[in-house]
Amino acid sequence: MNPRGIILTGGPNSCYEEDSPTYTKELFELGIPVLGLCYGAQLMQHILDGKVERAEVREYGKTEVFVDTTSELFSNVSPTTTCWMSHFDYISQTAPGFRITAHTADCPVAAAEDTDRQLYAIQFHPEVLHTKEGTKMLYNFVRGVCGCAGDWKMDSFVEQSIRAIREKVGDGKVLCALSGGVDSSVAAVLLSKAVGDQLTCVFVDQGLLRKNEGDEVEAVFGPEGNYDLNFIRVNAQERFYQKLAGVSEPEAKRKIIGEEFIRVFEEEAKKIGAVDFLVQGTIYPDVVESGLGGESAVIKSHHNVGGLPDYVDFKEIIEPLRDLFKDEVRKAGLELGIPEYLVYRQPFPGPGLGIRIIGEVTAEKVRIVQDADAIYREEIAKAGLDQEINQYFAALTNMRSVGVMGDERTYDYAVALRAVKTIDFMTAEAAEIPFEVLNRVMNRIINEVKGVNRVMYDLTSKPPGTIEFE
Ligand code: XMP
């Protein structure tokens, strides 16, 4: 592989547990710079004869950290900065040759380094948004310590991908499951630019899309739309509602929606007959969060990775966006000339509103959450906040409570409004929305959406919450 540097990631383990992932000492003797983060840092110290101990209390959350700015890792970082800590074990004594380069009130070794061997250990998490200057630290490691040039550009990604796809596909037939979201849209357009109408896109409307979304997707990709491809829309709403009847457990709902999607897709694929390639809009966070990259715990199943149709007659999968983060997918989309409103469309989960409705999914609840969500999105856009907030939506809690409308007693649902700021969607913070905007949304939802008598705003960050509300 000939890497320029190695980053050992964090993880939920303790280096003293028997089957914890580990490395041989030789990893640190390769002469390749190594940066260990959290568990990776502890493991590095443990293996190199430092001391790691279990603390009585877990250090968790945003923490003030004091860094030594003479360290290359902390070059241009403020001497006192905010980091995100999440650990029980801590490094109580550094390994021989290391010097301490950061500490917090509770953590004597928040960072340490041995510049001769180019080994760096950071106890906190520079990779999460909550670590204010974390990106700078990673930049310092990758660009400074490892000497990477950083000359990879999006435009070369698009050009190279189109060329590579053409070469691979030849005059083969390609099938793509199009959801209308940013990822599958960019993947579809990339394929369409490469091989034109050798591509067929199947769009399954499972009745769990946002209000009017099915028609919007059809307008862009259908026969009246902008692209050279074959477009098939399947209206499968009733099928999905039937399968979901009586099911309230979130993972069970995800599985049902994923499986039913595959069944519908297979039926369409059978009609089309044998194809050579199947396109998937998988992006890098899908790969990581599905636990495919290693041992990270599967937080929730992603229906867009792994669950591949068995009976579609295809030879090979193409995942053109597998290495890209969301912001890079968007850049690729712009490069490809996809309209901005589509490119900057917020992410929407594969299982759709099925996982924004707590408890059983019914057509009636879908109607409620669609209408509430449409109002919320409209008002956020009107207030000019749509570019600022990375993801926002309404969810339907399964809670009903007593209210009063006019002179009547009501017993209706509570809608939860979610809005987060995030870059990588792996960590996030609740967005600060002006009260008057929230108030307007609340008033409109209560007045216009039958079946709702309460509106709440979700303040939870990720972690400990998730972005979705399921
Ligand atoms: P969570 O809720 O895990 O969400 O914090 C992180 C991001 O992923 C989206 N999400 C999904 N996207 N299929 C998807 O394509 C899924 O099953 C899925 N579940 C969550 C979520 O909307 C957020 O942007």
Side-chain angles (χ1 to χ4, degrees):
M1 287 169 76
N2 195 22
R4 291 281 186 88
I6 296 172
I7 297 181
L8 309 178
T9 67
N13 310 81
S14 165
C15 47
Y16 292 110
E17 280 161 21
E18 248 182 35
D19 34 354
S20 290
T22 189
Y23 306 98
T24 56
K25 215 171 179 161
E26 287 74 27
L27 181 77
F28 304 107
E29 294 163 2
L30 296 170
I32 296 168
V34 182
L35 170 64
L37 305 178
C38 193
Y39 175 68
Q42 294 168 1
L43 197 57
M44 175 193 286
Q45 294 302 307
H46 176 63
I47 291 174
L48 297 174
D49 300 325
K51 202 161 165 199
V52 176
E53 287 183 83
R54 172 132 294 213
E56 303 222 323
V57 284
R58 180 176 179 210
E59 192 183 20
Y60 181 80
K62 277 189 196 172
T63 309
E64 196 172 56
V65 60
F66 307 97
V67 306
D68 179 346
T69 53
T70 63
S71 159
E72 185 163 12
L73 215 52
F74 299 126
S75 158
N76 294 320
V77 172
S78 327
T80 305
T81 183
T82 304
C83 73
W84 180 261
M85 282 286 192
S86 173
H87 64 111
F88 263 120
D89 287 1
Y90 71 104
I91 301 160
S92 57
Q93 206 181 320
T94 52
F98 278 80
R99 74 174 185 114
I100 297 171
T101 52
H103 67 277
T104 72
D106 292 319
C107 182
V109 187
E113 67 188 27
D114 177 343
T115 49
D116 289 346
R117 289 187 283 174
Q118 292 188 296
L119 302 179
Y120 297 81
I122 300 185
Q123 174 59 70
F124 54 88
H125 290 272
E127 77 280 15
V128 310
L129 210 53
H130 303 303
T131 298
K132 222 169 132 203
E133 299 177 82
T135 309
K136 242 186 244 173
M137 299 169 194
L138 294 174
Y139 180 99
N140 287 340
F141 179 71
V142 175
R143 301 289 289 271
V145 176
C146 303
C148 295
D151 51 7
W152 189 77
K153 297 238 164 38
M154 274 327 291
D155 48 354
S156 51
F157 169 83
V158 166
E159 228 175 81
Q160 278 172 19
S161 297
I162 291 179
R163 215 179 307 131
I165 291 167
R166 267 195 201 132
E167 210 165 279
K168 187 168 189 174
V169 171
D171 55 6
K173 269 170 109 181
V174 187
L175 180 61
C176 172
L178 179 71
S179 72
V182 184
D183 307 340
S184 68
S185 298
V186 172
V189 172
L190 203 53
L191 262 295
S192 153
K193 297 261 179 195
V195 297
D197 67 0
Q198 285 163 250
L199 170 70
T200 300
C201 289
V202 173
F203 167 59
V204 178
D205 186 340
Q206 12 75 317
L208 302 168
L209 298 170
R210 285 165 287 200
K211 196 173 180 177
N212 301 329
E213 197 170 13
D215 296 340
E216 286 167 16
V217 172
E218 186 169 347
V220 175
F221 292 97
E224 313 291 320
N226 313 334
Y227 302 106
D228 182 21
L229 51 84
N230 304 301
F231 177 83
I232 298 170
R233 173 174 178 174
V234 191
N235 289 311
Q237 294 87 336
E238 286 314 316
R239 255 178 97 152
F240 278 82
Y241 296 157
Q242 272 171 24
K243 287 275 172 190
L244 286 166
V247 182
S248 57
E249 206 278 312
E251 270 300 297
K253 289 195 285 187
R254 277 177 173 272
K255 293 243 155 66
I256 290 171
I257 297 165
E259 275 164 25
E260 197 55 17
F261 173 84
I262 288 171
R263 296 291 91 77
V264 174
F265 186 68
E266 277 170 358
E267 284 168 26
E268 286 312 306
K270 269 190 190 142
K271 291 182 204 159
I272 296 166
V275 295
D276 301 283
F277 299 93
L278 185 67
V279 184
Q280 297 249 304
T282 317
I283 70 169
Y284 190 61
D286 299 330
V287 177
V288 175
E289 289 208 354
S290 292
L292 297 182
E295 302 258 317
S296 63
V298 177
I299 315 276
K300 48 179 125 163
S301 61
H302 274 259
H303 96 264
N304 30 358
V305 178
L308 270 180
D310 291 336
Y311 314 109
V312 176
D313 193 355
F314 71 97
K315 289 186 201 132
E316 212 178 314
I317 291 173
I318 306 183
E319 289 177 318
L321 312 176
R322 200 184 162 85
D323 295 331
L324 303 191
F325 279 103
K326 199 86 192 182
D327 53 330
E328 295 172 322
V329 175
R330 291 206 162 98
K331 279 189 203 151
L334 290 179
E335 278 290 317
L336 285 161
I338 301 177
E340 273 194 29
Y341 77 90
L342 247 179
V343 167
Y344 286 108
R345 181 177 238 174
Q346 27 173 339
F348 186 66
L353 300 180
I355 59 162
R356 289 181 182 173
I357 293 169
I358 307 292
E360 186 186 7
V361 175
T362 63
E364 170 68 359
K365 285 185 180 173
V366 170
R367 192 239 349 132
I368 292 177
V369 78
Q370 274 180 339
D371 287 349
D373 182 68
I375 290 170
Y376 186 32
R377 283 189 288 135
E378 199 182 309
E379 290 299 331
I380 290 285
K382 258 196 225 158
L385 297 169
D386 51 335
Q387 297 296 317
E388 246 170 71
I389 306 174
N390 305 96
Q391 192 168 1
Y392 53 97
F393 56 85
L396 187 61
T397 74
N398 206 20
M399 186 203 68
R400 289 202 293 164
S401 63
V402 175
V404 53
M405 275 276 240
D407 293 331
E408 302 254 321
R409 175 188 187 275
T410 58
Y411 185 59
D412 284 331
Y413 285 109
V415 158
L417 303 178
R418 187 87 172 116
V420 295
K421 296 194 92 157
T422 174
I423 292 174
D424 55 11
F425 294 84
M426 295 192 185
T427 60
E429 273 178 352
E432 281 184 39
I433 299 179
F435 188 74
E436 80 246 27
V437 177
L438 287 174
N439 212 30
R440 201 157 45 235
V441 175
M442 178 275 294
N443 266 318
R444 280 196 58 194
I445 291 178
I446 304 252
N447 285 320
E448 296 172 35
V449 186
K450 201 168 155 280
V452 180
N453 68 356
R454 255 173 231 274
V455 175
M456 305 178 179
Y457 187 65
D458 181 1
L459 285 172
T460 323
S461 64
K462 172 185 180 177
T466 60
I467 293 175
E468 289 297 337
F469 195 108
E470 63 186 296

